[in-house]
Amino acid sequence: MYERKTPPNLNCGLDLIGEVLYGKWKIRLLWFINVGHKRPSELQRKIPDASRRVLNIQLKELEEHELITRKVYPVVPPKVEYSLTEFSKTVIPVIAALGQWGNENEGRLRRVILKEAISSDLDERPTAPLGMSTR
């Protein structure tokens, strides 16, 4: 498993939030659990771009940070459900506000993200000596 090479920087609230919410899918996982998607398979369907392994890692980290609880039912096949803790319910309004801001600025955000993606694609193109084509 991943072993951290540098100690976490915990000097301010933003650093603390980054430590517990950093991860591509964590905010979406919290949101989907909040709106009722409790089973791992439901969460996988809501976030199809994420691998099952990555989702499991991020769910485990959310559990370790006391943002979700995991309940395993003693049935065959095993049934697992996740739920928010009282602690994590306090961050849901913040996530909702971020989502609203994203919706209100969707056009601009898409434009700058796509511009960045196109720029990095151009930077990665192979270069040829002067006078020679790369195509």
Side-chain angles (χ1 to χ4, degrees), residues 29-38 84 89 92:
L29 285 167
L30 288 171
W31 184 258
F32 289 136
I33 292 169
N34 179 61
V35 297
H37 302 284
K38 313 264 186 220
L84 298 181
K89 288 177 184 175
I92 295 300

Side-chain angles (χ1 to χ4, degrees), residues 34-46:
N34 179 61
V35 297
H37 302 284
K38 313 264 186 220
R39 310 270 319 271
S41 59
E42 293 173 318
L43 295 167
Q44 181 72 58
R45 280 193 295 277
K46 294 301 286 181

Side-chain angles (χ1 to χ4, degrees), residues 16-27 58 61 65:
L16 295 166
I17 290 168
E19 283 298 314
V20 296
L21 294 181
Y22 177 74
K24 187 168 184 176
W25 310 111
K26 285 183 181 178
I27 290 175
Q58 293 198 354
E61 290 173 358
H65 288 125

Side-chain angles (χ1 to χ4, degrees), residues 50-100:
S51 71
R52 176 68 68 119
R53 179 182 175 277
V54 168
L55 286 183
N56 286 338
I57 289 169
Q58 293 198 354
L59 285 164
K60 185 175 193 253
E61 290 173 358
L62 288 169
E63 188 177 6
E64 289 170 354
H65 288 125
E66 300 177 4
L67 295 172
I68 62 173
T69 57
R70 179 178 186 262
K71 182 171 184 177
V72 180
Y73 293 89
V75 294
V76 177
K79 177 182 174 183
V80 175
E81 286 186 349
Y82 292 96
S83 58
L84 298 181
T85 62
E86 290 302 315
F87 176 51
S88 68
K89 288 177 184 175
T90 63
V91 78
I92 295 300
V94 176
I95 293 171
L98 285 171
Q100 182 179 352

